[in-house]
Amino acid sequence: MKALKVMGTIDEQGQLTLDRPLRTDKNSRVEVIVLIPEEADLDDKSQAEILADFRQAWHEAMSGQTISVAQLWEGFEDV
């Protein structure tokens, strides 16, 4: 399984709209995990901290310092 991260918006009807199209095989089923920030989560981090976190994550992704989704789920089979 391959993981993609993209932001989106949930409308009044509960429908999810992605901010940009996904660049992947068309007509394929996907599993969606929605992370909704709590109000406190948004207030706790400054814009500078969020930008620093993004820059660090981007650097790690571009330099190959990532692990596969399969590795992330190791050990969760029995949960």
Side-chain angles (χ1 to χ4, degrees):
M1 188 175 280
K2 179 169 76 170
L4 301 172
K5 183 174 181 180
V6 63
M7 297 299 289
T9 306
I10 299 175
D11 66 18
E12 296 81 25
Q13 291 79 36
Q15 296 292 313
L16 175 64
T17 303
L18 301 180
D19 290 349
R20 62 178 174 78
L22 299 177
R23 306 254 186 241
T24 187
D25 297 333
K26 306 296 185 239
N27 300 318
S28 59
R29 278 199 56 78
V30 298
E31 181 177 348
V32 178
I33 299 172
V34 178
L35 303 174
I36 301 172
E38 304 273 341
E39 283 296 321
D41 293 343
L42 296 175
D43 295 336
D44 288 346
K45 282 195 169 188
S46 69
Q47 185 175 7
E49 290 173 307
I50 293 168
L51 185 57
D53 289 347
F54 174 79
R55 285 187 173 138
Q56 178 65 33
W58 185 258
H59 170 74
E60 290 172 7
M62 293 292 97
S63 61
Q65 299 176 44
T66 59
I67 60 173
S68 70
V69 172
Q71 261 183 301
L72 285 173
W73 288 104
E74 283 179 10
F76 286 101
E77 295 88 15
D78 301 324
V79 176

